[in-house]
Amino acid sequence: MSTPDEVPAFPFPDDGRLAIPEQFADLRARCPVQRVELPFGGQGWLVSRHADVKAVLGDPRFSRAATVDADVPRTTPWRTQAGNLMAMDPPEHTRTRRLVAPVFSRRGAERLRPRTEEIVGELIAGLRRAGGPVDFVEAFAMPLPVTVICELLGVPADRWHLFRDFSEKVFGDASGSAEEAERAAAELDTFLAGLVAQRRAEPRDDLLSEMVAARDADGARLSEEELVTLGVTILVSGHETTAAAVGNYVYTLLTQGLWRDLAARPEQLDTALEELLRAVPIGGAETMPRMATEDVTVAGTVVREGEAVFPVMLSANFDESVFAEPDKLDLHRSPNPHLAFGFGPHVCLGAQLALMELRVALGRLLAEFPTLRLAVDEADVPWRTGSMVRGPRRLMVTW
Ligand code: HEM
């Protein structure tokens, strides 16, 4: 496929809310593998169609490990740090992921359901005590996944400001420099390293203790540093995304007049949730780059060894050859082969946990507050800006 001479800058500007940049539809139709200029590290290839995005994500010739500490084309100033799951290739990736996979399986997530129901119940009681109008982000969307992931990992919930601070600097409102982000990351590492030492001395019934035990049973499986990094990864990825999903889905259902309908049909929730995952973005289109380890042809374009590829899941989820009327939020859509959780070896580790939390949270909210509504004009909702995670900064609701 030939590409136009012009090399557009990526990421494309978005409206700062939940709209999908219109360039993707054009690229899917005209140039499914497009050369783009990244803000850091030069040029790469943008892959926009569902089938090609899946093919790239599942192809071992595209490496994440090759991005470690390298000045590769990327959307953020900082370079990929070693030790993170997202920075590994098989077999190292497989070995590390296997260690925590059972906890994050469907069955593992189901084990956490009773406690999640309790937490949701407590948060709903809090909403009722506060009475409307109340900021839904602060009172529900953020504390839910934070509490769940802290309890799962065994991190005292009162220390969550530490990783909120880290997330704000890394995913936050673009206020932070790369140095600030690195400092926040170092603080969080120190904190987790302290907890690991505590669990080694005094194991408890939590994931961190399990990880320490697995590491100590077979030191070759996971280095101490990897153990800490894995803990940090789970902690950070375990709350920002789910919090944004809860907030963005409630916002979307309310502003599109779908809340009451769904409240009246609870049996439709699972199908509706898949559609929300497909069509309502949580992050931008800033996929992490993959480096070609040899020449690979993608949709007719040769990606040369050493070049970077950006498979855009957000675009794949709107591919009109897979989803009829992709711009329509159709809560009955089925089947729904969206790529909101990615695909291939790096498919979201926490997908089952996130799904369980979202089902419990939305299910209870719809049942308890069928008359939920925004307490401010839609135009007055403040949005996070320049952030890797999209969503309202504050969402005042009442009922
Ligand atoms: C609605 C919520 C969530 C969404 C939409 C989401 C989405 C994603 C996506 C798209 C990827 C793949 C990225 C890529 O290949 O470039 C990913 C990976 C990952 N996610 Fe999630 N995620 C969510 C919740 C969670 C939760 C609750 C956890 C908790 C542990 C989590 C942990 C991870 C980890 C560790 C990875 C890297 C996996 C690996 O490299 O093997 N995510 N997520």
Side-chain angles (χ1 to χ4, degrees):
M1 164 81 59
S2 63
T3 56
D5 295 338
E6 185 200 340
V7 178
F10 184 77
F12 304 130
D14 60 45
D15 69 343
R17 300 187 171 208
L18 299 176
I20 310 298
E22 58 196 21
Q23 288 90 335
F24 290 121
D26 183 42
L27 289 182
R28 284 192 302 271
R30 201 178 47 77
C31 185
V33 182
Q34 167 73 54
R35 191 175 269 288
V36 287
E37 182 76 38
L38 280 297
F40 306 94
Q43 299 188 349
W45 295 102
L46 204 69
V47 177
S48 52
R49 284 184 189 159
H50 190 275
D52 302 329
V53 168
K54 249 179 110 169
V56 168
L57 291 173
D59 190 331
R61 294 173 297 173
F62 290 111
S63 163
R64 280 289 305 150
T67 66
V68 170
D69 283 334
D71 184 22
V72 299
R74 62 197 186 281
T75 54
T76 53
W78 48 88
R79 298 176 183 202
T80 307
Q81 307 267 305
N84 183 320
L85 267 182
M86 270 307 300
M88 295 174 189
D89 290 339
E92 190 195 9
H93 173 263
T94 324
R95 165 182 77 95
T96 310
R97 185 161 164 145
R98 199 173 282 149
L99 202 67
V100 284
V103 177
F104 291 98
S105 65
R106 186 181 288 253
R107 193 191 288 173
E110 277 309 307
R111 268 206 298 273
L112 297 173
R113 181 188 284 273
R115 180 62 191 132
T116 305
E117 278 168 355
E118 272 173 31
I119 296 168
V120 165
E122 286 159 19
L123 292 172
I124 284 179
L127 288 177
R128 289 211 182 279
R129 271 196 307 277
V134 56
D135 177 9
F136 181 76
V137 172
E138 196 63 28
F140 193 98
M142 192 49 102
L144 169 65
V146 166
T147 314
V148 171
I149 204 72
C150 280
E151 290 198 7
L152 169 66
L153 209 54
V155 171
D158 63 355
R159 304 304 300 275
W160 75 286
H161 64 270
L162 262 182
F163 60 91
R164 186 169 192 179
D165 193 42
F166 168 80
S167 306
E168 279 295 318
K169 300 235 163 69
V170 176
F171 300 118
D173 282 356
S175 53
S177 61
E179 293 74 42
E180 267 186 83
E182 273 160 26
R183 203 171 321 120
E187 262 178 48
L188 195 57
D189 274 0
T190 310
F191 169 66
L192 250 279
L195 270 188
V196 164
Q198 267 179 25
R199 293 301 187 274
R200 176 162 293 121
E202 241 179 277
R204 294 198 199 158
D205 182 19
D206 58 38
L207 179 59
L208 208 53
S209 302
E210 272 178 46
M211 284 159 55
V212 170
R215 142 103 173 91
D216 291 352
D218 177 0
R221 285 176 69 187
L222 208 62
S223 72
E224 188 77 8
E225 210 184 321
E226 283 173 327
L227 187 62
V228 170
T229 310
L230 187 56
V232 170
T233 307
I234 291 171
L235 205 51
V236 173
S237 36
H239 77 285
E240 275 287 350
T241 39
T242 313
V246 175
N248 292 359
Y249 298 171
V250 167
Y251 169 86
T252 300
L253 291 170
L254 292 179
T255 53
Q256 299 207 10
L258 297 167
W259 184 267
R260 278 176 197 233
D261 281 0
L262 193 54
R265 293 188 190 79
E267 70 285 355
Q268 204 192 309
L269 180 59
D270 282 1
T271 312
L273 186 51
E274 293 299 325
E275 177 68 347
L276 289 163
L277 279 158
R278 178 192 73 84
V280 181
I282 289 168
E286 298 92 334
T287 319
M288 297 188 210
R290 269 81 175 164
M291 311 305 291
T293 56
E294 57 184 82
D295 292 359
V296 185
T297 303
V298 182
T301 297
V302 179
V303 176
R304 299 272 171 219
E305 179 182 346
E307 289 189 320
V309 174
F310 293 80
V312 184
M313 296 161 235
L314 193 66
S315 171
N317 285 347
F318 286 81
D319 187 329
E320 32 293 280
S321 72
V322 177
F323 305 100
E325 293 188 78
D327 295 328
K328 183 176 166 211
L329 186 71
D330 171 6
L331 299 186
H332 298 274
R333 192 185 296 275
S334 178
N336 198 335
H338 65 74
L339 299 178
F341 289 118
F343 181 77
H346 292 286
V347 68
C348 179
L349 175 72
Q352 294 301 330
L353 175 63
L355 276 170
M356 185 277 291
E357 284 183 56
L358 286 165
R359 275 191 203 114
V360 172
L362 289 178
R364 278 293 294 279
L365 285 165
L366 286 158
E368 299 263 350
F369 302 108
T371 59
L372 195 74
R373 60 188 190 279
L374 287 193
V376 292
D377 262 9
E378 198 182 328
D380 293 334
V381 173
W383 289 77
R384 300 171 73 156
T385 49
S387 165
M388 282 170 73
V389 175
R390 292 205 230 178
R393 208 152 19 89
R394 240 185 355 266
L395 190 62
M396 298 307 291
V397 296
T398 192
W399 52 89

